Amino acid sequence: EVVMTQSPATLSVSPGERATLSCGASQYVSSNLAWYQQKPGQAPRLLIYGASTRATGIPARFTGSGSGTDFTLTISSLQSEDFAVYYCQQYNNWPQLTFGGGTKVEIK
Amino acid sequence: QVQLVESGGGLVKPGGSLRLSCAASGFTFSDYYMSWIRQAPGKGLEWVSYISSSGTNIYYADSVKGRFSISRDIAKNSLYLQMNSLTADDTAVYFCAREAITAAGLLDSWGQGTLVTVSS
């Protein structure tokens, strides 16, 4: 099983500031890495796939980077609607999909 | 637009069974792989099971293998998860999700989820 590790668990950021979230894989996953955003009581929403491609309708302030085992999601200027939990997920080892534990981005 | 609507969740006693359904609309259901993902209260996401577009290929997470059974009915545009021998560890919101046609394992659409609570 590919273990995905996210850090930090919680990130306190002021609106308008930059947020940087990290995700590591226990083994090589190429660029088969996705990021999802989940708000309370809602389903996850796909943000980024292929490590760096924004999904349809996702604002340009969301940027994904990395390949292999180390990945980053950057939110350039946090808006009020961006405060949520973010999960990374590898699909290189399909169909055994695995997710990171999540990073909660909260208002500072 | 793509819509996935889960149903069938509820309260069940340990050792009991439950069958979840996921009604799909807004896309050609028979073209897509589908998965079930679950989320225990206050916890992260866990992949549970996958089924190919035709239903021929099926996989399960080790945590549910031998107890859960995934299936689909193309004529009804529906996905199912039969859950047997339930334990407290199975308590979670269960989401059905569509896998992107261009990238197996990429979950591009999700339902709102249905809550399964296993308790005596």
Side-chain angles (χ1 to χ4, degrees):
Chain A
E1 174 182 317
V2 180
V3 177
M4 306 301 292
T5 303
Q6 290 186 245
S7 63
T10 304
L11 189 59
S12 298
V13 185
S14 298
E17 289 188 342
R18 172 189 295 254
T20 302
L21 290 66
S22 296
C23 173
S26 63
Q27 56 187 269
Y28 179 81
V29 298
S30 187
S31 294
N32 296 313
L33 189 284
W35 290 92
Y36 300 86
Q37 177 193 67
Q38 187 179 33
K39 296 180 180 179
Q42 296 186 16
R45 176 176 71 142
L46 177 64
L47 294 177
I48 301 284
Y49 64 93
S52 61
T53 303
R54 281 187 296 275
T56 303
I58 302 304
R61 63 181 180 272
F62 291 91
T63 301
S65 63
S67 68
T69 60
D70 294 306
F71 302 88
T72 301
L73 175 67
T74 302
I75 312 171
S76 59
S77 176
L78 272 158
Q79 306 298 302
S80 57
E81 61 267 30
D82 300 335
F83 292 95
V85 180
Y86 293 83
Y87 294 95
C88 62
Q89 174 234 333
Q90 67 78 24
Y91 48 101
N92 192 67
N93 197 38
W94 174 85
Q96 305 283 345
L97 310 178
T98 48
F99 296 85
T103 291
K104 181 180 181 181
V105 178
E106 64 177 24
I107 300 174
K108 186 175 182 179
Chain B
Q1 74 280 21
V2 175
Q3 196 167 14
L4 298 168
V5 180
E6 301 92 338
S7 61
L11 176 63
V12 60
K13 289 181 167 53
S17 298
L18 213 53
R19 188 195 197 206
L20 306 183
S21 300
C22 170
S25 60
F27 65 101
T28 305
F29 182 65
S30 58
D31 286 347
Y32 288 82
Y33 301 167
M34 299 292 294
S35 278
W36 286 98
I37 312 296
R38 69 183 180 182
Q39 185 171 37
K43 302 297 184 183
L45 300 165
E46 179 189 17
W47 170 77
V48 172
S49 183
Y50 148 87
I51 186 167
S52 63
S53 52
S54 64
T56 303
N57 295 311
I58 286 172
Y59 294 92
Y60 300 99
D62 288 344
S63 57
V64 306
K65 201 173 295 183
R67 301 187 300 121
F68 288 14
S69 177
I70 190 172
S71 61
R72 65 193 297 166
D73 186 329
I74 301 299
K76 294 183 178 180
N77 282 351
S78 292
L79 176 72
Y80 305 101
L81 187 67
Q82 176 67 43
M83 304 185 296
N84 299 328
S85 303
L86 287 161
T87 73
D89 289 342
D90 297 315
T91 294
V93 174
Y94 285 73
F95 298 99
C96 65
R98 187 183 79 168
E99 298 196 11
I101 208 162
T102 54
L106 178 62
L107 305 168
D108 66 357
S109 294
W110 297 62
Q112 284 303 301
T114 187
L115 176 62
V116 173
T117 304
V118 183
S119 175
S120 55

